[in-house]
Amino acid sequence: MISAILAGVARHPRRVLGAAVALAGVLVGAHLLSAPDSDLRYAIPVLPPLLGLAALVLAVVAMTRRRPAAFTVDAGAFRAPSPPNHVLQAAGAAFMGATIIMIAVNSRTLQPDRPAEDPAGWFMGDALLVLACLVVVLSVVQIAAAWRGVGVQLGPDGVKDRGPLGTLTVPWDALTTASLPPTTPTALSLRLTYARPDLVRAAGLPLTRTRIRTDTIDALFLAHAVHHYLVHPERRQGIGTAAGYAELMTVLYGAPPDLSRS
C-alpha cells in the first residue's frame, strides 16, 4: 500500500502537490468563512495537522528507501529521478502553514478586545500572526522548489544542480577525472574539485559551490556517470537521448536499461 502511494507520488508529483495546496487553501477558506461561534470553526483546524503529519510520515518512509541508480531521460538531459519525499514534505508544509493560519485566526477571534499593552494578548494575537506569515513564506519556498524540481542533471554542456534557492552550473571543462573523490552510494552530496573554477556559474543562492546534492540518486552511480563523460567527451552529445542513455548503462552495467519501466 505504502509502496503504491509513493510510486504514485513519484509519477505525478505536480498533481499531488497541487491537490495538497488546493485542499489546504479550501480548508483555510472554509475556516475563515465559518461563523465565529460555530463548531465548524474549531473542527476544521483539526484536519490540516493530521494531513500534514501523514504527509511527513510518508516522506520519512520514502527517505529510507534505496535511492535509484538510474536517470530520467528528459528534455535533452539525464535528470536525477524526482523523489516522492520532496513532494510529500512540501505537501506537509502546506498543511502546516494552513494550521498556523487557523490558530492565529482563532486566537484573535477568541480575544478580540485584549488591550495593546497586555503582553499576553499581544503574544496570542500579533505574534501568532507574524509566526503564521513566516511559516507561510517558508512553505511557499518549499512548495515552489518541489514544483519546479530539485536535484542533479547531466547535459551536453555540463552538470547542473538545482536547489531550493538556486542553481549551480558546472561546465565539463571545469572538471577533470581527478575532480571526483571516492564516495559511497548513500552519500547525500558529492564534492567536486575544480580545474577551472572560473567557469562555474551560480544563479540565485545555491547552498554551496563545491558540492552537488545526491539525496535523490545513488551517489556512486552519479560519480561513475560523470567520470564516464569526463573520460569520453565525444559521447556527451548523446546525453539526453534514449540511445545515449542505453550506451551509458551498457558501459556501467554491461546491459542497456529497460526504458519501459522508467
Side-chain angles (χ1 to χ4, degrees):
M1 180 65 177
I2 293 180
S3 297
I5 293 175
L6 296 179
V9 173
R11 283 195 301 269
H12 308 289
R14 289 190 172 182
R15 292 183 184 180
V16 173
L17 184 56
V21 172
L23 179 56
V26 168
L27 291 174
V28 171
H31 177 259
L32 294 176
L33 294 175
S34 61
D37 57 348
S38 68
D39 294 337
L40 189 62
R41 193 175 187 89
Y42 302 102
I44 292 177
V46 176
L47 295 177
L50 293 178
L51 293 172
L53 180 61
L56 294 177
V57 168
L58 285 174
V60 171
V61 173
M63 292 172 64
T64 64
R65 301 295 176 95
R66 183 176 180 179
R67 282 173 269 158
F71 288 117
T72 297
V73 182
D74 180 37
F78 294 156
R79 303 178 187 273
S82 298
N85 60 290
H86 287 183
V87 176
L88 292 167
Q89 288 169 359
F95 289 124
M96 292 308 174
T99 300
I100 193 64
I101 290 174
M102 294 180 190
I103 292 175
V105 170
N106 279 351
S107 174
R108 296 184 73 86
T109 302
L110 285 172
Q111 301 174 348
D113 301 324
R114 283 267 189 172
E117 62 274 10
D118 184 350
W122 184 89
F123 178 81
M124 292 298 293
D126 295 342
L128 277 177
L129 186 59
V130 171
L131 178 61
C133 292
L134 179 61
V135 171
V136 169
V137 169
L138 294 176
S139 299
V140 168
V141 171
Q142 189 165 3
I143 291 168
W147 183 268
R148 76 183 183 99
V150 296
V152 177
Q153 68 180 59
L154 306 187
D157 299 327
V159 182
K160 183 178 293 186
D161 182 18
R162 302 180 69 177
L165 300 178
T167 301
L168 184 70
T169 302
V170 182
W172 292 113
D173 290 342
L175 300 169
T176 68
T177 55
S179 296
L180 301 171
T183 188
T184 62
T186 57
L188 297 178
S189 65
L190 188 64
R191 182 171 57 85
L192 300 178
T193 302
Y194 301 126
R196 291 284 308 277
D198 56 298
L199 298 178
V200 179
R201 303 187 303 275
L205 298 172
L207 297 179
T208 176
R209 294 174 62 97
T210 59
R211 288 183 176 273
I212 55 176
R213 59 190 299 163
T214 58
D215 59 334
T216 66
I217 193 170
D218 184 298
L220 189 58
F221 165 77
L222 176 64
H224 287 164
V226 172
H227 184 268
H228 171 71
Y229 290 114
L230 289 174
V231 175
H232 301 285
E234 73 280 1
R235 297 178 179 174
R236 295 172 189 167
Q237 293 307 312
I239 297 177
T241 67
Y245 188 46
E247 182 271 334
L248 172 66
M249 298 300 280
T250 299
V251 170
L252 297 184
Y253 294 110
D258 183 359
L259 296 178
S260 65
R261 298 182 180 179
S262 61

